Amino acid sequence: MTPRVAASALRVPHSRIRELAEIAMSMDGVLKLYFGESNLPTPEFIKRAAQKAMADGYTFYTENAGLPSLRKALTRYYQELHGVELDPAGEFVITASGVQALNLAIRCVLDPGDEALLLTPAWPNGAANVAMANAVAVEIAQPLAGDRYQIDLAALEAAVTPRTRMLLYTSPSNPLGWVATVEEQRRLLEFARRHNLWLIADEVYERLNYTGPRTASPTPTILRLATRDDAVIVIQSFSKAYCMTGWRLGWLVARRDLVARATQLNEFVVSHAPSFGQRAAETALLWGENTLCEMLVRLKDNRDFCLAALSKMPGVTVPKPDGAFYLFPKIAGASDSFDFCKRLLMDTKVGLAPGVAF
Ligand SMILES: Cc1ncc(COP(=O)(O)O)c(C=O)c1O
């Protein structure tokens, strides 16, 4: 007899994006489109800020909730960008990535056996984190009507049980590129309030928006509609807007009691995000708008180029995404997306994320 891995750990599904990526990483010359990152490196001024932070002594432990100066910088960010007032001392936790924010949030709202509603197709880490909390993910599909994805409120209503504790949605969406309208956010919030659920909004693609009046107009945050007493949690990240995927830096915003508990739990997970990275993140927030605008022009061109190329291909249909940097095409006759992506990788060295992963 030998000790076994816990059954609850074995129940956590593996990521089929990673599965494809592992194959691709063993090959040379692959066009890597499977992960949610562009090929742009972190801007120089942010890298320099991290070097300076190290030289200035930001190499020690910080507060579990993150550096107060970064939380203040985020407070300014929400004021200026969204007109939302937040308390840097009680409504933020800086995390070591968006996915760690998701992990903390889900850990704080679910007990074993609870149920979580998830709008899908979605990045698989939400459902996997629900499984890591020994809870049950209930997927509610977003139907496509014309060329826009919708929220199926009737299906959400029908899925609520006495064990339902939360609803997770992602806007802008990975992989759909769907951006929730203010009216849709209002309905989700009303639904969550009526059923006494936590509403978790994954807003990591907030800045990758192609529909605003200006190039870098953010998508509306749920924090504009919710009060500070609402059971709302926003998941955020420095990864996408500032090309900082490898840094592992994010944050969450939530009601004070949730933030207090998430801060405490953070001690036992990673204690806090890396100190010098947090310091550099302040610089990203302060000086990042110009590079963000430049990147968005490029991302929009890329989106339009890929849309035009795909729409010329027979059997391929693809709605136009309003945000994020993904296309989610349907390919007539392809019934196994993993097999399709694997063959594409082997034959052409183009690495895509298989739709089944979502
Ligand atoms: C929807 C969504 N949320 C969160 C994340 C997490 O980003 P990170 O952990 O790099 O901050 C990603 C990354 O791809 C994502 O697609």
Side-chain angles (χ1 to χ4, degrees), residues 36 97-100 102 123 170 172 174 202 204-205 235-240 245 248-250 326:
S97 76
V99 66
Q100 201 235 321
L102 197 59
W123 187 56
T170 307
N174 171 9
D202 185 333
V204 308
Y205 295 101
I235 305 301
Q236 262 289 10
S237 172
F238 289 91
S239 286
K240 315 294 176 176
T245 49
R248 316 312 297 134
L249 271 174
Y326 304 104

Side-chain angles (χ1 to χ4, degrees), residues 261-291:
R261 184 50 59 166
T263 301
Q264 279 182 23
L265 293 195
N266 214 19
E267 167 66 17
F268 311 119
V269 188
V270 288
S271 300
H272 60 79
S275 329
F276 50 89
Q278 291 188 57
R279 194 73 178 142
E282 289 174 40
T283 300
L285 291 174
L286 201 56
W287 301 109
E289 287 300 304
N290 284 348
T291 36

Side-chain angles (χ1 to χ4, degrees), residues 2-197:
T2 173
R4 276 177 304 164
V5 175
S8 57
L10 294 175
R11 270 198 298 275
V12 177
H14 69 281
S15 164
R16 302 219 68 195
I17 306 174
R18 272 277 162 193
E19 189 180 337
L20 197 290
E22 296 290 339
I23 304 171
M25 285 184 205
S26 69
M27 298 165 56
D28 284 330
V30 172
L31 182 60
K32 292 184 279 185
L33 299 175
Y34 39 76
F35 285 152
E37 60 188 354
S38 76
N39 55 351
L40 294 174
T42 307
E44 281 305 319
F45 72 95
I46 303 177
K47 290 197 251 184
R48 276 199 302 275
Q51 287 158 1
K52 179 166 185 320
M54 274 201 191
D56 288 348
Y58 283 87
T59 57
F60 295 97
Y61 289 136
T62 75
E63 290 79 351
N64 289 140
L67 288 174
S69 50
L70 175 55
R71 284 181 273 140
K72 274 206 193 91
L74 281 169
T75 308
R76 259 197 317 277
Y77 172 90
Y78 278 102
Q79 253 165 7
E80 285 168 13
L81 220 57
H82 295 289
V84 170
E85 297 294 332
L86 293 165
D87 174 11
E91 291 174 329
F92 289 98
V93 186
I94 311 299
T95 56
S97 76
V99 66
Q100 201 235 321
L102 197 59
N103 176 272
L104 271 184
I106 287 174
R107 185 64 189 78
C108 284
V109 306
L110 294 180
D111 278 323
D114 281 345
E115 291 169 20
L117 302 176
L118 315 174
L119 293 193
T120 59
W123 187 56
N125 295 30
N129 267 294
V130 170
M132 292 224 287
N134 294 308
V136 181
V138 178
E139 299 187 5
I140 306 295
Q142 289 195 250
L144 182 63
D147 63 354
R148 190 167 186 282
Y149 287 93
Q150 312 285 325
I151 299 171
D152 189 344
L153 277 164
L156 277 174
E157 291 287 348
V160 175
T161 77
R163 291 308 300 263
T164 310
R165 295 285 176 269
M166 58 164 269
L167 164 63
L168 168 66
Y169 76 97
T170 307
S171 169
S173 155
N174 171 9
L176 303 179
W178 165 79
V179 177
T181 61
V182 173
E183 189 45 39
E184 283 170 327
Q185 288 180 323
R186 207 185 298 284
R187 291 206 193 112
L188 289 173
L189 184 59
E190 189 276 326
F191 171 82
R193 282 176 178 159
R194 192 155 39 81
H195 291 288
N196 217 7
L197 307 179

